Amino acid sequence: EIVLTQSPATLSLSPGERATLSCRASQSVSSYLAWYQQKPGQAPRLLISDASNRATGIPPRFSGSGSGTDFTLTISSLEPEDFAVYYCQQRSSWPRTFGQGTKLEIK
Amino acid sequence: VQLLESGGGLVQPGGSLRLSCAASGFTFSNYALSWVRQAPGKGLEWVSTITYTGNTYYADSVEGRFTISRDNSKNTVYVQMSSLRAEDTAVYYCAKGGGSSVFDSWGQGTLVTVSS
């Protein structure tokens, strides 16, 4: 099973700041990594597929990068609605796995 | 795309429950469908996927207890859950994709509580 480790667990920033979230895989997932955003009481929403492809309707302030085992989700300038929990997920092999999440909170 | 889960509720340990997910807004038979769960206050856990060809995959934690199926004539995917345990308590989300693609659309989830 591929283990995804996200860091940090919690990130405290202010609106307008830049956020950098990390996801590290226990073995290579090539570029088969996705990022999801989840707000309290809501279902997750796809942000990024295949490491760097923004999903339909996702603002350009969200960007993804990386390949192999190290991936980054960057939010260039935080908006109030961006404070949420973010998960990475791999589709390189079975079982599909998620990271434990990074909570992005308002400082 | 719309995914609407139903069938959640309170069930005793050792009991069974069947969840349904009615889909619309896309050509159902062309896509894999999946179940992902989230225990209270915890992260996301992939549970099962059925591909458009009918191949099925399960997490080790549910293998042998859960069965995923689909009815393309009804645009509905199911998960039959048996021998339920307290640790199966979670919100269960239906998601489009999960085979060779990401989970690109999600339902709002249905809560399953396993308790005596």
Side-chain angles (χ1 to χ4, degrees):
Chain A
E1 170 176 323
I2 296 175
V3 176
L4 299 178
T5 303
Q6 293 186 238
S7 62
T10 304
L11 185 58
S12 299
L13 293 170
S14 300
E17 291 192 292
R18 181 184 186 90
T20 303
L21 288 67
S22 174
C23 178
R24 176 163 289 178
S26 59
Q27 62 191 81
S28 177
V29 299
S30 185
S31 294
Y32 298 129
L33 188 103
W35 291 93
Y36 301 86
Q37 176 194 66
Q38 188 179 33
K39 297 180 181 179
Q42 296 185 16
R45 176 176 70 149
L46 175 67
L47 296 176
I48 302 284
S49 64
D50 294 344
S52 61
N53 298 326
R54 270 192 307 277
T56 301
I58 302 303
R61 65 179 181 273
F62 291 90
S63 63
S65 63
S67 66
T69 61
D70 290 299
F71 299 87
T72 301
L73 174 69
T74 302
I75 311 172
S76 60
S77 179
L78 286 165
E79 298 287 342
E81 62 267 28
D82 299 336
F83 292 91
V85 179
Y86 293 83
Y87 296 93
C88 58
Q89 178 254 326
Q90 64 82 20
R91 65 176 182 91
S92 174
S93 67
W94 300 100
R96 302 308 194 221
T97 51
F98 289 88
Q100 83 279 16
T102 289
K103 181 180 182 180
L104 179 56
E105 65 177 24
I106 299 176
K107 187 174 182 179
Chain B
V1 173
Q2 279 200 318
L3 299 165
L4 184 60
E5 303 95 335
S6 61
L10 176 63
V11 60
Q12 292 189 336
S16 298
L17 207 59
R18 187 179 82 158
L19 305 183
S20 302
C21 172
S24 61
F26 63 100
T27 305
F28 183 83
S29 59
N30 289 354
Y31 290 91
L33 278 295
S34 301
W35 291 94
V36 176
R37 69 184 180 184
Q38 186 168 38
K42 303 298 184 182
L44 301 172
E45 179 188 18
W46 171 77
V47 172
S48 183
T49 295
I50 184 165
T51 68
Y52 75 98
T53 59
N55 292 331
T56 58
Y57 300 87
Y58 299 94
D60 286 348
S61 58
V62 306
E63 178 83 56
R65 301 188 298 122
F66 288 17
T67 302
I68 192 171
S69 61
R70 64 190 296 159
D71 185 338
N72 290 340
S73 68
K74 295 183 178 179
N75 285 3
T76 300
V77 62
Y78 306 95
V79 61
Q80 177 69 48
M81 306 185 294
S82 61
S83 302
L84 284 162
R85 308 165 179 166
E87 53 265 35
D88 295 317
T89 293
V91 173
Y92 284 73
Y93 294 102
C94 173
K96 174 174 165 282
S100 59
S101 63
V102 296
F103 305 116
D104 60 23
S105 298
W106 298 66
Q108 282 306 301
T110 187
L111 176 63
V112 172
T113 303
V114 183
S115 174
S116 55

